[in-house]
């Protein structure tokens, strides 16, 4: 006997919502999913009428669904937003080439302008070249730091007011767990925020409209909407530690499906004791980007790459920042410590 | 694509090679008997000194336990709480200036009934522990968990505590104590040999029915934790103890911190894992073992023959993925094996948290079960309201249902106040009617986010012990009353009742 949709009570249910366990028909699922994103946008005041919004598009499922839903809601509810796609080309052959093709198709399907910024043009390094120098162990560090700045630079070129990213509920819960495991209280406090206001020169405010959407529901939505997305994991796989956290989260979800939301709830309600030292945000003395040190992470990593000392940006070498800024040579001992370790 | 957004931390340290040195790092003379952290090898004597010093330092640093104060040690029979007991004994036998100056007593909660042990099995465990406790000379209480069924409702109220002690008060109390009878031996009264109370079979069945009504092991463990804590606090209160010492080790607390986060208890983390926990007001929970790792404790107990007694828990024989608590424990332990800084890193987070802001002085603002401040205000765009919205949007929206809404309305689930008027009337029924249809049952409105999850996993709320049900009824009546007279109240005052 077919199960009836628990929402309309009329049509046949085609899926069980991972988030609530309800059985829904296709139309009711689409409506619920879109309505939830809409309510997130409205209650969190993510956008203002007339704003230019850049959608960070990678060609993956999250950003493809984000682009689709943003365009749809913008028209349905008359947000009055001017939407654009913003992509970063990390320079990973065989992976990014294909996913960028997907983004280009999305651009045509959604009729949205697209801007692609590449690591190569911004930093003079492709990820392929970086991995050649640093090995596979820490490459995600480079990629993460560079992408963050690349999006900002692209956003400035496009003159957008805001960037929205495809981070979903699973990503945020995972980040909460990661920050607990690292003991990073400052990030733990910030990481559940749905939006960041402009933190300084060159930093565009960001928001996460899919913050409360389950990854599984994003996949279901993309599947039933037959959205065109690219589903291969990055060939430079993320570090093992994050992998552990991800597995843990999946296990939690299988024991209690609401775990993802429960962890986000925890993150939203944490209260840091008064008097716990938090890093003070300043700006990078070289490029002006926000940084709690005299040099931003991106500049330190780049300096390390250019000098052939890739470990410079990994771990804490704040003491060396002044030397770098003043273009002083490093001692032999310092150099030796920062050379790549080959695996 | 890897979802790493801002990941640039130093590589976490993998297990370092054991130290080459076989000499004690402290006295540099005796040969090392134990390596507690990579490189830190101690000889027997120095390890003992280090271990004992750490206990006194933890109490000294926090200055919470006053000289002459009655302190109840909750001993489960496990290695950590038994080690705590031996540290208190050790502290009382020290010479004058290092001596602990409080009056200890012991309580053991016999949970055998909850895990289905035979009467004979339970009797044997109690006898074993009785021998351990008798040897300490401290007064002790053996309480079967079944007694939780007869608790008074006052347990779930936060009793007004002693007024905030001034900074100088501790020192003054110490001085005063030293002047008076600080030199004489002290315990919290005589050891009395009261036979353990008879447990009626019917009570054991009720307890089992209560725990059995939880459909998930996760909820069952949460429920058991709550009941145990209520019984401990009640026992302390009625025997005149103002502090309750719990034996949570650093390892235990790291697991608890992560599982609390996974259970949605972010707001209550400071209470759940901090050195002191004042949610009950007059009876303060203290965790003096929080600086010791489970490994250190095991070494110490073995080396100095600290007795402990194995008692089975709810999850003793279950698979890793059976409950959130169990899953988290095996996750942390496995991670710790690969990355030895895992436990201490997680643990340090617990020192940087505080209980949630905003005063929850009124009983209406505290959770009926865990007695922590409620964290369920439906703020705009929160995980809590997003979940409510998802549930509303996935259920039938029949127009008639709004009229059947229960009399008592949960403030949290009014969707119109959440989304703002402009969206109402959208698509047929609109969100107003759908909101009413999924009104949360009244009792849940008295619970924090996490305890709501626990109750959601129970087949019936009716099996909850009477002291909880009658307190729930009282609170609901009061809030209904407040609703009726709301128009006449000049300010939205907190309920002081
Ligand atoms: Zn339907
Ligand atoms: Zn910079
Ligand atoms: Zn020694
Ligand atoms: Zn609670």
């Amino acid at each position: 006997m077919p199960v009836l949709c628990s929402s309309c009570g009329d049509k046949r249910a085609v899926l069980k919502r991972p988030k609530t366990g309800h059985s829904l028909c296709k139309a009711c699922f689409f409506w619920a999913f879109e309505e939830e994103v809409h309510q997130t946008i409205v209650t969190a005041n993510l956008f203002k009428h007339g704003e230019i919004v850049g959608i960070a598009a990678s060609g993956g499922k999250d950003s493809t669904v984000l682009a689709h839903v943003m365009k749809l809601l913008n028209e349905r509810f008359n947000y009055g937003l001017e939407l654009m796609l913003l992509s970063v080309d990390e320079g990973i052959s065989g992976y990014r080439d294909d996913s960028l093709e997907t983004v280009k198709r999305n651009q045509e399907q959604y009729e949205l302008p697209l801007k692609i910024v590449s690591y190569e043009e911004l930093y003079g390094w492709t990820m392929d070249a970086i991995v050649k120098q640093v090995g596979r162990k820490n490459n995600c560090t480079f990629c993460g730091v560079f992408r963050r700045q690349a999006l900002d630079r692209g956003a400035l070129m496009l003159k957008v007011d805001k960037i929205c990213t495809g981070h979903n509920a699973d990503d945020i819960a995972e980040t909460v767990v990661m920050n607990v495991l690292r003991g990073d209280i400052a990030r733990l406090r910030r990481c559940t925020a749905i939006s960041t206001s402009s933190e300084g020169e060159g930093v565009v405010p960001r928001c996460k409209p899919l913050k409360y959407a389950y990854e599984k529901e994003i996949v279901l939505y993309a599947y039933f909407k037959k959205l065109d997305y690219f589903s291969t994991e990055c060939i430079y796989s993320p570090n093992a530690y994050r992998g552990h956290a991800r597995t843990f989260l999946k296990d939690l979800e299988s024991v209690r499906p609401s775990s993802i939301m429960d962890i986000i709830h925890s993150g939203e309600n944490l209260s840091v004791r008064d008097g716990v030292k938090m890093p003070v945000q300043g700006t990078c003395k070289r490029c002006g980007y926000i940084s709690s040190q005299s040099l931003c992470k991106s500049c330190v990593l780049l300096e390390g790459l250019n000098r052939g000392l890739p470990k410079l940006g990994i771990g804490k070498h704040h003491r060396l920042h002044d030397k770098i800024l003043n273009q002083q040579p490093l001692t032999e001992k310092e150099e030796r410590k920062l050379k790549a370790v080959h695996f | 694509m890897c979802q790493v957004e801002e990941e640039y931390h130093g590589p976490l340290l993998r297990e370092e090679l054991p130290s080459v040195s076989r000499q004690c790092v402290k006295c540099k003379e005796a040969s090392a008997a134990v390596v507690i952290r990579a490189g830190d090898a101690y000889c027997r004597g120095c390890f003992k000194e280090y271990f004992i010093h750490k206990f006194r330092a933890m109490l000294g640093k926090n200055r919470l336990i006053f000289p002459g104060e009655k302190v109840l040690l909750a001993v489960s029979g496990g290695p950590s709480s038994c080690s705590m007991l031996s540290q208190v004994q050790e502290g009382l036998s020290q010479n004058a200036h290092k001596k602990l100056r409080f009056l200890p007593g012991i309580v053991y909660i016999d949970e055998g009934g909850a895990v289905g042990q035979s009467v004979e099995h339970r009797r044997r465990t109690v006898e074993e522990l009785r021998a351990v406790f008798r040897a300490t000379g401290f007064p002790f209480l053996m309480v079967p968990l079944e007694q939780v069924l007869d608790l008074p409702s006052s347990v779930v109220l936060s009793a007004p505590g002693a007024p905030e002690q001034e900074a100088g008060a501790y020192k003054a109390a110490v001085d005063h104590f030293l002047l008076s009878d600080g030199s004489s031996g002290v315990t919290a009264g005589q050891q009395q040999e009261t036979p353990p109370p008879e447990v009626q079979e019917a009570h054991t069945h009720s307890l089992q029915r209560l725990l059995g009504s939880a459909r998930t092991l996760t909820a069952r463990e949460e429920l058991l934790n709550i009941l145990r804590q209520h019984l401990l606090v009640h026992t302390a209160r009625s025997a005149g103890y103002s502090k309750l010492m719990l034996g949570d080790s650093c390892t235990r607390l790291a697991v608890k911190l992560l599982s609390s986060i996974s259970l949605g208890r972010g707001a209550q983390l400071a209470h759940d894992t901090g050195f002191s926990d004042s949610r009950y007001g007059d009876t303060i929970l203290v965790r003096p073992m929080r600086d010791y790792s489970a490994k250190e404790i095991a070494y110490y107990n073995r080396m100095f023959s600290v007795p402990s007694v194995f008692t089975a828990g709810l999850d003793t024989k279950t698979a890793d993925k059976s409950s959130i608590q169990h899953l988290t424990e095996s996750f942390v332990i496995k991670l710790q094996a690969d990355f030895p800084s895992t436990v201490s890193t997680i643990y340090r987070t617990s020192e940087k948290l505080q209980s949630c802001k905003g005063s929850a002085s009124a009983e209406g603002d505290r959770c009926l079960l865990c007695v922590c401040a409620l964290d369920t205000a439906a703020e705009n765009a929160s995980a809590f309201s997003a979940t409510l919205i998802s549930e509303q949007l996935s259920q039938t929206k029949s127009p008639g249902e709004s009229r059947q809404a229960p009399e008592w309305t949960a403030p949290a689930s009014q969707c119109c106040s959440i989304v703002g008027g402009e969206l109402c009337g959208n698509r047929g029924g609109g969100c107003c009617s759908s909101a009413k249809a999924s009104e949360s049952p009244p009792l849940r409105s008295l619970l924090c986010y996490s305890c709501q999850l626990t109750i959601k996993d129970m087949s019936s709320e009716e099996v909850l012990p009477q002291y909880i049900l009658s307190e729930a009824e009282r609170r609901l009546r009061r809030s209904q009353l407040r609703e009726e007279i709301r128009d006449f109240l000049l300010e939205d005052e907190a309920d002081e009742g």
Side-chain angles (χ1 to χ4, degrees), chain B residues 76-79 82 108 124-126 128-130 132 307-312:
Chain B
S76 68
C82 284
Y108 167 70
R124 269 203 313 274
T125 310
V126 166
E128 259 182 90
L129 279 162
R130 183 190 299 278
V132 173
S308 57
V309 175
F310 176 78
T311 50

Side-chain angles (χ1 to χ4, degrees), chain B residues 63 65-67 101 169-180:
Chain B
R63 302 193 144 207
I65 297 179
F66 278 55
R101 302 186 188 93
Y170 180 82
K171 196 174 178 309
V174 173
D175 292 344
H176 175 78
F177 186 81
L178 287 175
L179 280 175
S180 55

